[in-house]
Amino acid sequence: MSGQWSGERGPADVDLFYWPTPNGWKVTILLEELEQDYNLVPVDIRKGEQFRPEFLAISPNNKIPAIVDHRPPGGGAPIALFESAAILTYLAEKHGRLWPQSLRERYEVGQWLAWQIASLGPTAGQVHHFREYAEQPVPYAVERFTGEINRLYGVMNTRLADRAFLAGDYSIADIACWPWIRLWRHHAQDLESFPHLKRWLETIAARPAVNRGFRIGSALREGRSQMTPEEKKVLLGQKARRA
């Protein structure tokens, strides 16, 4: 894996615009599972690189991850994609893995992927914000979102009580959820209270490709877990920009 923000491309077909966050980890894990070479292009969201015009041309929502596939199925011009669910679906479909072929099974995976995007990810993000990033304590918000993430853990634990994975075989639904659940300590949850979820978390963590995908780019954080006030302002203080 290689790649530079300058636009210089390595030998791989896929450029991954990335920062080591749960949404970024989803895509590196999938690419490692697919054994797909890719150019890793860091986008330092603490410095505001996600607002550069060349990145906004790929990801208009100024969020990572994003990809450019220079050799899409059927040929033609490169395909640029933002939003992790779209990227996971595209890559899995392109390679014919981790995304079922039958209609019934495909939508079983799809609904859990949508659940992660609509429920698990946003709620976890609010838990992180109010428990760890808010300048002033907001007890109601902490209680509200910590309680909701507890409910969502329970949804997954019940789902996994009689099956190994969320939707049949291991799939992009599991890949989408795993990076968020591995942060259970940040969510103030007791994983022992969710034994089926704990088993699932450990099973996926034992996969070599998951381990590789999670660790890629970890040095980009420079060993710092806390943001400076300036970085918080860049990351959390944005409003609409004029067209």
Side-chain angles (χ1 to χ4, degrees):
M1 284 65 68
S2 61
Q4 300 296 326
W5 177 255
S6 65
E8 296 178 3
R9 293 185 53 237
D13 295 329
V14 173
D15 298 333
L16 169 59
F17 296 83
Y18 172 85
W19 196 250
T21 70
N23 287 325
W25 292 326
K26 296 175 192 176
V27 183
T28 49
I29 288 170
L30 177 58
L31 286 164
E32 292 295 324
E33 290 281 11
L34 296 173
E35 300 178 295
Q36 167 71 59
D37 289 335
Y38 54 99
N39 304 310
L40 192 71
V41 186
V43 180
D44 193 336
I45 59 177
R46 304 167 305 180
K47 296 179 179 179
E49 291 183 349
Q50 67 272 35
F51 300 106
R52 291 184 175 184
E54 54 266 45
F55 181 69
L56 290 174
I58 301 167
S59 180
N61 195 37
N62 59 260
K63 303 287 186 181
I64 63 92
I67 67 167
V68 176
D69 185 354
H70 295 273
R71 189 172 294 178
I79 289 179
L81 291 172
F82 69 104
E83 288 296 329
S84 60
I87 294 168
L88 294 181
T89 304
Y90 171 79
L91 291 172
E93 186 172 353
K94 176 182 178 180
H95 292 272
R97 293 178 55 196
L98 303 171
W99 178 241
Q101 298 302 306
S102 76
L103 182 70
R104 185 183 299 272
E105 294 175 346
R106 189 161 63 247
Y107 277 92
E108 185 173 8
V109 170
Q111 68 183 353
W112 284 100
L113 178 62
W115 178 85
Q116 187 278 307
I117 297 300
S119 298
L120 180 63
T123 302
Q126 295 298 331
V127 173
H128 294 169
H129 180 83
F130 286 106
R131 295 189 70 91
E132 301 179 4
Y133 296 141
E135 296 292 339
Q136 300 294 331
V138 186
Y140 173 79
V142 170
E143 181 179 0
R144 167 72 180 91
F145 289 111
T146 304
E148 177 62 5
I149 202 73
N150 178 269
R151 184 187 73 81
L152 296 173
Y153 274 48
V155 170
M156 287 188 71
N157 189 65
T158 300
R159 174 68 175 178
L160 294 164
D162 60 354
R163 68 197 72 217
F165 301 107
L166 287 170
D169 295 332
Y170 176 62
S171 71
I172 58 174
D174 301 289
I175 292 173
C177 292
W178 184 86
W180 291 104
I181 299 298
R182 71 163 300 280
L183 298 174
W184 56 272
R185 294 179 183 86
H186 296 268
H187 303 157
Q189 299 302 307
D190 176 12
L191 206 60
E192 298 299 329
S193 300
F194 304 99
H196 309 300
L197 182 60
K198 180 182 179 183
R199 181 264 309 157
W200 169 89
L201 184 73
E202 293 171 347
T203 297
I204 295 176
R207 296 179 67 89
V210 172
N211 190 266
R212 292 194 305 270
F214 170 67
R215 295 186 183 281
I216 284 170
S218 59
L220 295 171
R221 288 184 177 272
E222 302 173 349
R224 292 191 294 118
S225 59
Q226 299 296 322
M227 291 188 292
T228 66
E230 292 77 13
E231 290 169 347
K232 282 187 177 181
K233 184 176 180 180
V234 169
L235 192 61
L236 305 175
Q238 298 297 320
K239 295 183 179 179
R241 297 188 174 200
R242 292 183 180 179

